[in-house]
Amino acid sequence: MVTEMAEDVEDPLKALSEVYEPDSRQAHFVGHFADNYAVLSRMALHVQVPKNVRQLFETAKNCVAIFMVCVPISSSS
């Protein structure tokens, strides 16, 4: 198991104590889930971007979609 932080990345995993803190990158995702999902679904990388990078981007979009559904449930407790 790797326990060292990767210093060569710009956006490493947040510290556990910061997970529930607001993230400025999510500021435009306010309102109804359907509206936010529509914005998310329009985001795409250029077709000349390597396929493995485009797949990572799609995986990230799925993580954001799941986040938008789960956070209101988990933060209400």
Side-chain angles (χ1 to χ4, degrees), residues 31-58:
H32 297 285
F33 175 73
D35 296 332
N36 293 330
Y37 187 85
V39 170
L40 189 63
S41 68
R42 290 190 301 268
M43 294 179 183
L45 298 178
H46 191 277
V47 294
Q48 291 182 334
V49 172
K51 184 178 180 179
N52 63 328
V53 175
R54 287 185 283 127
Q55 182 56 63
L56 287 171
F57 186 72
E58 293 301 315

Short mmCIF file of all heavy atoms in Angstrom, two decimals, residues 31-58:
data_model
loop_
_atom_site.label_atom_id
_atom_site.label_comp_id
_atom_site.label_asym_id
_atom_site.label_seq_id
_atom_site.Cartn_x
_atom_site.Cartn_y
_atom_site.Cartn_z
N GLY A 31 -28.47 23.64 -7.51
CA GLY A 31 -29.81 23.52 -8.07
C GLY A 31 -30.26 22.08 -8.15
O GLY A 31 -29.88 21.25 -7.34
N HIS A 32 -31.03 21.78 -9.17
CA HIS A 32 -31.61 20.45 -9.32
C HIS A 32 -30.64 19.49 -9.99
O HIS A 32 -29.87 19.86 -10.88
CB HIS A 32 -32.89 20.53 -10.15
CG HIS A 32 -33.95 21.35 -9.48
ND1 HIS A 32 -34.66 20.89 -8.41
CD2 HIS A 32 -34.39 22.61 -9.71
CE1 HIS A 32 -35.50 21.81 -8.01
NE2 HIS A 32 -35.36 22.88 -8.78
N PHE A 33 -30.71 18.24 -9.57
CA PHE A 33 -29.83 17.21 -10.11
C PHE A 33 -29.93 17.11 -11.63
O PHE A 33 -28.91 17.03 -12.31
CB PHE A 33 -30.14 15.85 -9.47
CG PHE A 33 -29.34 14.73 -10.07
CD1 PHE A 33 -28.00 14.60 -9.80
CD2 PHE A 33 -29.95 13.83 -10.93
CE1 PHE A 33 -27.24 13.58 -10.37
CE2 PHE A 33 -29.21 12.80 -11.50
CZ PHE A 33 -27.86 12.67 -11.22
N ALA A 34 -31.12 17.13 -12.18
CA ALA A 34 -31.29 16.99 -13.64
C ALA A 34 -30.57 18.11 -14.39
O ALA A 34 -29.94 17.87 -15.42
CB ALA A 34 -32.77 16.97 -14.00
N ASP A 35 -30.64 19.33 -13.86
CA ASP A 35 -29.94 20.44 -14.50
C ASP A 35 -28.42 20.26 -14.42
O ASP A 35 -27.70 20.48 -15.40
CB ASP A 35 -30.32 21.77 -13.85
CG ASP A 35 -31.80 22.09 -14.02
OD1 ASP A 35 -32.40 21.64 -15.02
OD2 ASP A 35 -32.34 22.79 -13.14
N ASN A 36 -27.96 19.85 -13.26
CA ASN A 36 -26.52 19.62 -13.09
C ASN A 36 -26.04 18.47 -13.97
O ASN A 36 -24.96 18.53 -14.54
CB ASN A 36 -26.21 19.33 -11.62
CG ASN A 36 -26.43 20.54 -10.75
OD1 ASN A 36 -26.28 21.67 -11.19
ND2 ASN A 36 -26.80 20.30 -9.51
N TYR A 37 -26.85 17.43 -14.06
CA TYR A 37 -26.48 16.29 -14.89
C TYR A 37 -26.40 16.71 -16.36
O TYR A 37 -25.50 16.27 -17.09
CB TYR A 37 -27.49 15.15 -14.72
CG TYR A 37 -27.06 13.91 -15.44
CD1 TYR A 37 -26.18 13.01 -14.83
CD2 TYR A 37 -27.50 13.63 -16.73
CE1 TYR A 37 -25.76 11.87 -15.49
CE2 TYR A 37 -27.09 12.50 -17.40
CZ TYR A 37 -26.22 11.62 -16.77
OH TYR A 37 -25.79 10.50 -17.43
N ALA A 38 -27.28 17.58 -16.78
CA ALA A 38 -27.25 18.06 -18.17
C ALA A 38 -25.94 18.81 -18.45
O ALA A 38 -25.34 18.63 -19.51
CB ALA A 38 -28.45 18.96 -18.45
N VAL A 39 -25.52 19.64 -17.50
CA VAL A 39 -24.24 20.35 -17.66
C VAL A 39 -23.10 19.34 -17.73
O VAL A 39 -22.24 19.41 -18.62
CB VAL A 39 -24.01 21.33 -16.48
CG1 VAL A 39 -22.59 21.89 -16.50
CG2 VAL A 39 -25.02 22.45 -16.52
N LEU A 40 -23.09 18.39 -16.84
CA LEU A 40 -22.06 17.36 -16.80
C LEU A 40 -22.02 16.54 -18.09
O LEU A 40 -20.95 16.26 -18.64
CB LEU A 40 -22.30 16.45 -15.60
CG LEU A 40 -21.23 15.44 -15.24
CD1 LEU A 40 -19.94 16.14 -14.87
CD2 LEU A 40 -21.72 14.57 -14.09
N SER A 41 -23.18 16.20 -18.61
CA SER A 41 -23.24 15.36 -19.81
C SER A 41 -22.73 16.09 -21.06
O SER A 41 -22.32 15.45 -22.02
CB SER A 41 -24.66 14.83 -20.03
OG SER A 41 -25.53 15.89 -20.38
N ARG A 42 -22.76 17.42 -21.05
CA ARG A 42 -22.26 18.18 -22.20
C ARG A 42 -20.74 18.33 -22.19
O ARG A 42 -20.16 18.71 -23.20
CB ARG A 42 -22.91 19.56 -22.25
CG ARG A 42 -24.38 19.51 -22.63
CD ARG A 42 -24.94 20.90 -22.91
NE ARG A 42 -24.82 21.82 -21.79
CZ ARG A 42 -25.76 22.01 -20.86
NH1 ARG A 42 -26.90 21.34 -20.93
NH2 ARG A 42 -25.58 22.88 -19.89
N MET A 43 -20.11 18.03 -21.08
CA MET A 43 -18.65 18.15 -21.00
C MET A 43 -18.01 16.99 -21.74
O MET A 43 -18.35 15.84 -21.53
CB MET A 43 -18.20 18.13 -19.54
CG MET A 43 -18.64 19.29 -18.74
SD MET A 43 -18.06 19.10 -17.04
CE MET A 43 -18.78 20.54 -16.29
N ALA A 44 -17.06 17.33 -22.62
CA ALA A 44 -16.39 16.29 -23.39
C ALA A 44 -15.00 16.76 -23.80
O ALA A 44 -14.76 17.96 -23.92
CB ALA A 44 -17.20 15.95 -24.63
N LEU A 45 -14.13 15.82 -23.98
CA LEU A 45 -12.80 16.12 -24.48
C LEU A 45 -12.78 15.95 -26.00
O LEU A 45 -13.59 15.21 -26.55
CB LEU A 45 -11.77 15.18 -23.83
CG LEU A 45 -11.63 15.29 -22.31
CD1 LEU A 45 -10.62 14.27 -21.81
CD2 LEU A 45 -11.24 16.69 -21.90
N HIS A 46 -11.86 16.62 -26.64
CA HIS A 46 -11.71 16.54 -28.09
C HIS A 46 -11.41 15.10 -28.50
O HIS A 46 -10.73 14.36 -27.77
CB HIS A 46 -10.57 17.46 -28.53
CG HIS A 46 -10.51 17.66 -29.99
ND1 HIS A 46 -9.90 16.77 -30.84
CD2 HIS A 46 -11.00 18.66 -30.77
CE1 HIS A 46 -10.00 17.20 -32.07
NE2 HIS A 46 -10.68 18.35 -32.06
N VAL A 47 -11.90 14.68 -29.65
CA VAL A 47 -11.72 13.29 -30.10
C VAL A 47 -10.25 12.94 -30.32
O VAL A 47 -9.90 11.76 -30.32
CB VAL A 47 -12.52 13.00 -31.38
CG1 VAL A 47 -14.01 13.07 -31.10
CG2 VAL A 47 -12.11 13.91 -32.51
N GLN A 48 -9.39 13.92 -30.47
CA GLN A 48 -7.97 13.63 -30.66
C GLN A 48 -7.22 13.38 -29.35
O GLN A 48 -6.06 12.98 -29.36
CB GLN A 48 -7.29 14.75 -31.45
CG GLN A 48 -7.74 14.80 -32.89
CD GLN A 48 -7.04 15.88 -33.68
OE1 GLN A 48 -6.60 16.88 -33.13
NE2 GLN A 48 -6.97 15.68 -34.98
N VAL A 49 -7.90 13.62 -28.23
CA VAL A 49 -7.32 13.27 -26.94
C VAL A 49 -7.26 11.75 -26.88
O VAL A 49 -8.21 11.07 -27.28
CB VAL A 49 -8.18 13.85 -25.79
CG1 VAL A 49 -7.70 13.34 -24.43
CG2 VAL A 49 -8.17 15.36 -25.83
N PRO A 50 -6.15 11.18 -26.40
CA PRO A 50 -6.05 9.72 -26.36
C PRO A 50 -7.24 9.07 -25.65
O PRO A 50 -7.78 9.61 -24.67
CB PRO A 50 -4.75 9.49 -25.58
CG PRO A 50 -3.94 10.72 -25.82
CD PRO A 50 -4.95 11.84 -25.89
N LYS A 51 -7.63 7.92 -26.15
CA LYS A 51 -8.81 7.22 -25.64
C LYS A 51 -8.71 6.94 -24.14
O LYS A 51 -9.70 7.10 -23.42
CB LYS A 51 -9.00 5.90 -26.40
CG LYS A 51 -10.24 5.15 -26.01
CD LYS A 51 -10.41 3.90 -26.83
CE LYS A 51 -11.66 3.15 -26.42
NZ LYS A 51 -11.85 1.94 -27.22
N ASN A 52 -7.53 6.56 -23.65
CA ASN A 52 -7.41 6.26 -22.22
C ASN A 52 -7.63 7.51 -21.37
O ASN A 52 -8.19 7.43 -20.28
CB ASN A 52 -6.08 5.59 -21.89
CG ASN A 52 -4.88 6.47 -22.18
OD1 ASN A 52 -4.87 7.28 -23.11
ND2 ASN A 52 -3.83 6.28 -21.41
N VAL A 53 -7.24 8.67 -21.87
CA VAL A 53 -7.47 9.93 -21.15
C VAL A 53 -8.96 10.27 -21.19
O VAL A 53 -9.53 10.69 -20.18
CB VAL A 53 -6.62 11.07 -21.75
CG1 VAL A 53 -6.95 12.40 -21.09
CG2 VAL A 53 -5.14 10.75 -21.62
N ARG A 54 -9.59 10.09 -22.35
CA ARG A 54 -11.03 10.35 -22.44
C ARG A 54 -11.80 9.42 -21.51
O ARG A 54 -12.79 9.83 -20.89
CB ARG A 54 -11.52 10.21 -23.88
CG ARG A 54 -11.08 11.37 -24.76
CD ARG A 54 -11.66 11.30 -26.16
NE ARG A 54 -10.92 10.31 -26.94
CZ ARG A 54 -11.48 9.30 -27.61
NH1 ARG A 54 -12.78 9.17 -27.67
NH2 ARG A 54 -10.73 8.45 -28.28
N GLN A 55 -11.34 8.17 -21.37
CA GLN A 55 -12.01 7.24 -20.45
C GLN A 55 -11.87 7.70 -19.01
O GLN A 55 -12.83 7.64 -18.24
CB GLN A 55 -11.46 5.83 -20.62
CG GLN A 55 -12.16 4.81 -19.73
CD GLN A 55 -13.67 4.79 -19.95
OE1 GLN A 55 -14.12 4.47 -21.04
NE2 GLN A 55 -14.45 5.13 -18.93
N LEU A 56 -10.69 8.17 -18.64
CA LEU A 56 -10.51 8.71 -17.28
C LEU A 56 -11.44 9.89 -17.03
O LEU A 56 -12.00 10.05 -15.94
CB LEU A 56 -9.06 9.12 -17.06
CG LEU A 56 -8.06 7.98 -16.88
CD1 LEU A 56 -6.63 8.52 -16.89
CD2 LEU A 56 -8.34 7.22 -15.60
N PHE A 57 -11.61 10.73 -18.04
CA PHE A 57 -12.50 11.88 -17.93
C PHE A 57 -13.94 11.41 -17.72
O PHE A 57 -14.66 11.94 -16.88
CB PHE A 57 -12.38 12.75 -19.18
CG PHE A 57 -13.14 14.03 -19.10
CD1 PHE A 57 -12.71 15.07 -18.28
CD2 PHE A 57 -14.28 14.22 -19.86
CE1 PHE A 57 -13.41 16.27 -18.21
CE2 PHE A 57 -14.99 15.41 -19.80
CZ PHE A 57 -14.55 16.44 -18.97
N GLU A 58 -14.37 10.40 -18.47
CA GLU A 58 -15.72 9.86 -18.31
C GLU A 58 -15.90 9.24 -16.93
O GLU A 58 -16.95 9.38 -16.31
CB GLU A 58 -16.04 8.85 -19.41
CG GLU A 58 -16.12 9.46 -20.80
CD GLU A 58 -17.18 10.55 -20.91
OE1 GLU A 58 -18.31 10.36 -20.42
OE2 GLU A 58 -16.87 11.61 -21.48
#
